Amino acid sequence: MDAVETMNKARSAPADTGKTPLIDIRNLRVTFPSGGAAPKTVLKGIDLAVKSGEIVGLVGESGAGKTTLARSILGVPPGPGRIAGGEVHFEGRQILSLSEAEFRRLRGRRLSVVVPNPRAELNPLLRTGDQIASMAKIHLGVNGKEARRLALQMLRDVQIPDPERRMDAYPHELSGGMAQRVVIAMALICNPAFVISDDATSGLDVTVQAQILALLTKLVAEQGSAMLFITRDVGITAHFCDRIAVLFSGEIVELAPREALFLEPAHPYTLMLLASFSHSPRLRDSWSVPDTSRRRELAAGCQYADRCPIAQPVCRERRPPFAENGPGHFARCHFPVRHG
Amino acid sequence: MSTVLTIDNLYKHFPIAGSKQVVQAINGVSLTIEPGETLGLVGESGSGKTTVGRCIVGLIEPSAGTIHFRDADLALRQRHKRELAGKIQLVFQEPNESLDPRRKIGDTISEPLLPLRLDRETRRRRTADALRLVRLQPDLLDAYPSELSSGQQQRVGIARAMVTEPELVVLDEPTSALDPTARAEIIDLLRRIQSERHTAYLFISHDLSTVRFISHRVAVMYLGMIVEQGSAETVFNRPQHPYSSGLLSSVMLPHPHLKIESSVSLKGEIPSPINLPKGCFLASRCPFVIDRCRHEMPPAETVGERHTVHCFRHKDVAASVPASDTFNVFMKEAERILGRTVPSGVKPSLHQPTT
Ligand SMILES: Nc1ncnc2c1ncn2[C@@H]1O[C@H](COP(=O)(O)OP(=O)(O)OP(=O)(O)O)[C@@H](O)[C@H]1O
Ligand SMILES: Nc1ncnc2c1ncn2[C@@H]1O[C@H](COP(=O)(O)OP(=O)(O)OP(=O)(O)O)[C@@H](O)[C@H]1O
Ligand code: SF4
Ligand code: SF4
Ligand SMILES: [Mg+2]
Ligand SMILES: [Mg+2]
């Protein structure tokens, strides 16, 4: 059985998907100061809810705001970024209003994030086993012996070869794929309810990537957690996310169940994105505008208007609504593409 | 026209400081590239792709084996200096790696022309041609790299490689740092340049779907060996080496129903190139392994026209799944999903210059 099949199998028994979402992001806005001028709005009102057992993909080009969203959910927007508005409801609480101390107890314990570049995450001077165990000691309050036992079990779960020996290895003795597994082990050891994977597999080889994805999916399913899977690799999301959100310039422009997004894409940006994987210059040209120099932010109206081949005058005047065009299929567009 | 590049039984071993051991980066690579042909070179990280590229462009010396550019033995690079000048070029992964931030774009592009001893006028014309070839505006000649997007920077990298009118360009992951749109534009550009100038490419990439479409032939590398080499269509549709098959099946196309069938799921990771096993290098990860594989290195077998495989069980591997052309099915699907919805007012405008 190969990795993708394993993933699908793990997915076929989703945990209880009750009506109330596990995490509910409402109208989240994040700004960055821009030297004197009005601050730059990087997230322009994000609405996204994820249920237990669900894996939601978040795709978008570099600079769209994916990492900013991930870090803002955890209450720590990158750099000088500031949460300018909105709410994040998680397990019945509006967590953006928590004190820093309360938030710290939540992070790593109930909410955790897996980032790329595992080497930067790991302390080069500490043995991997101790690093994983310390997460359990801090957040679960278990003693050292129990923490080590959990850490070893976690290394087994992430399928590191020779886990007993790797407990005592230093990060530089691990390959990139192994280091990424260790970071996943650290993120999952406390059995978090919500996991964010921010581009965590992009630096890995495809064969290792397939193994890590299978693993993440399996662990999420077994623990009944939910995951936000952030990536620039749209192809991955077609195979193991339940729903996919397409982020463009700080806005979710389309949100749909996997099948609908890929087979009946509605937003012109999504069509352009998919066309760029089609290896057909003709399809690409028909979904893009040749002139790239006039791209700019529009104060009112659709953010995509300058790049949209079907833009109409109204698009520059009124912000399109995030309208539902099919079951669970939303697009922020005045003229969503219809199929069939 | 004669073969552009012939590599015969190439080895490259790097000594490890303070140790008698060596990194066995390349272990007997043979390949050929014809004029106007693209050879895609794929394989996991550390399999030796970049090292092959660096040997070709002369950044490092092979430990053993030969590389010929047409009839010139590259070990005697100095002797053939004049006829080789500008004939083989390299494009890097990170666009800004090859660009000096303090140097104007025009100077960066024309720099490789300096050793060719051309007159000023010819240099100027060649530079302008190269810029036009990659569809950049002439006013960018006076810009600095930081003023350009990463897609434009990679165009500059390509213009700089093409300015000497090379016959062979080694492209080492030229698109992996780019967003999908910029990537697709660069791929179009490379294809168009090739059809105009008949340039041969060695295209190194992790992006197998792009390799499938840009390459005429592909070579699959594993631990410094080319385990399978053949036409892109044959290797992708019916791989005969377990490693090619496993590698291809990990590709995830952006379509929820299309998956590449394989009987091989590669577990574990690539072993260290310092202590290579005695027999087949894949034996520890291979579901087809038999006793013989563990002490005997499978020889290269020719299984079709310009198609070679290093595996004792290549027939079983080929028979293990029906041949399929998932990539072409995917293209047809893309056409169906994205094509019929093409906005009526928009005319397909192939290769419009982006201004
Ligand atoms: N420290 C910062 N200071 C100012 N602006 C920032 C900072 N970090 C991010 N930004 C801005 O926020 C926007 C979103 O950045 P973000 O890192 O969230 O994008 P991303 O979607 O994660 O991109 P990538 O795919 O490259 O990781 C960018 O356009 C960037 O200009
Ligand atoms: N200068 C060097 N000294 C020692 N070892 C080296 C050197 N250059 C490369 N190697 C080793 O040779 C092997 C092949 O490396 P190479 O960079 O060619 O792989 P690659 O296939 O290009 O990988 P990637 O996909 O990560 O770019 C690796 O094990 C690498 O560590
Ligand atoms: S609202 Fe108008 S400009 Fe925006 S994506 Fe839709 S059609 Fe294009
Ligand atoms: S020679 Fe043996 S171990 Fe090597 S790839 Fe073939 S079957 Fe597998
Ligand atoms: Mg990011
Ligand atoms: Mg390389």
Side-chain angles (χ1 to χ4, degrees), chain A residues 32 40 42 60-69 78-80 199 232:
Chain A
F32 280 96
K40 182 178 164 204
V42 167
E61 62 199 47
S62 186
K66 304 182 295 297
T67 298
T68 305
L69 177 58
D199 243 336
R232 279 193 273 167

Side-chain angles (χ1 to χ4, degrees), chain B residues 1-5 32-40 56 69-70 87-90 162 165-171 190 193-195 197-203 214 216:
Chain B
M1 259 208 289
S2 66
T3 303
V4 177
L5 186 81
T32 55
I33 306 181
E34 301 297 324
E37 182 177 71
T38 299
L39 176 68
I56 295 170
F69 176 79
R70 299 210 178 277
K87 292 296 180 199
I88 308 177
Q89 292 283 19
L90 176 68
M162 296 297 171
E165 299 178 0
E167 290 178 52
L168 173 70
V169 181
V170 174
L171 297 142
L190 289 170
I193 294 173
Q194 183 170 63
S195 64
R197 292 195 166 178
H198 221 55
T199 319
Y201 295 150
L202 179 70
F203 186 82
I214 200 177
H216 302 96

Side-chain angles (χ1 to χ4, degrees), chain A residues 191-225:
Chain A
N191 215 336
F194 189 59
V195 182
I196 301 173
S197 161
D198 186 2
D199 243 336
T201 56
S202 61
L204 302 173
D205 279 313
V206 282
T207 64
V208 180
Q209 178 174 295
Q211 296 173 48
I212 300 261
L213 289 177
L215 184 75
L216 269 173
T217 325
K218 181 167 155 280
L219 295 175
V220 166
E222 279 172 7
Q223 301 187 345
S225 330

Side-chain angles (χ1 to χ4, degrees), chain A residues 47-226:
Chain A
D47 288 299
L48 184 65
V50 184
K51 289 176 280 192
S52 291
E54 207 184 20
I55 296 181
V56 174
L58 180 70
V59 300
E61 62 199 47
S62 186
K66 304 182 295 297
T67 298
T68 305
L69 177 58
R71 305 253 328 244
S72 301
I73 295 171
L74 296 174
V76 279
R82 199 177 73 81
I83 295 175
E87 300 176 347
V88 176
H89 294 263
F90 176 67
E91 296 186 321
R93 286 194 287 178
Q94 204 287 83
I95 57 176
L96 294 186
S97 60
L98 295 182
S99 71
E100 178 48 34
E102 286 173 302
F103 224 135
R104 218 177 302 128
R105 277 199 290 280
L106 212 57
R107 275 196 295 269
R109 168 84 186 84
R110 302 296 299 155
L111 281 173
S112 68
V113 63
V114 189
V115 297
N117 199 354
R119 297 206 187 281
E121 280 300 287
L122 296 171
N123 183 334
L125 303 177
L126 291 180
R127 296 177 195 273
T128 53
D130 295 338
Q131 298 194 49
I132 305 170
S134 80
M135 290 296 289
K137 265 199 284 196
I138 295 168
H139 293 293
L140 302 178
V142 297
N143 66 25
K145 197 167 158 230
E146 175 62 6
R148 277 190 70 83
R149 192 189 66 77
L150 290 173
L152 180 60
Q153 184 53 45
M154 210 56 227
L155 282 184
R156 287 205 186 95
D157 288 347
V158 296
Q159 291 161 20
I160 278 212
D162 207 354
E164 282 86 358
R165 192 157 68 82
R166 303 291 182 225
M167 284 286 284
D168 293 327
Y170 288 97
H172 74 265
E173 298 171 289
L174 304 174
S175 71
M178 279 197 267
Q180 191 56 272
R181 282 167 211 249
V182 169
V183 170
I184 292 175
M186 286 173 69
L188 297 184
I189 191 165
C190 299
N191 215 336
F194 189 59
V195 182
I196 301 173
S197 161
D198 186 2
D199 243 336
T201 56
S202 61
L204 302 173
D205 279 313
V206 282
T207 64
V208 180
Q209 178 174 295
Q211 296 173 48
I212 300 261
L213 289 177
L215 184 75
L216 269 173
T217 325
K218 181 167 155 280
L219 295 175
V220 166
E222 279 172 7
Q223 301 187 345
S225 330

Side-chain angles (χ1 to χ4, degrees), chain B residues 335-354:
Chain B
E335 187 69 42
R336 185 182 68 78
I337 296 163
L338 308 169
R340 70 175 174 196
T341 46
V342 165
S344 53
V346 183
K347 287 201 192 71
S349 48
L350 271 170
H351 307 308
Q352 276 290 316
T354 41

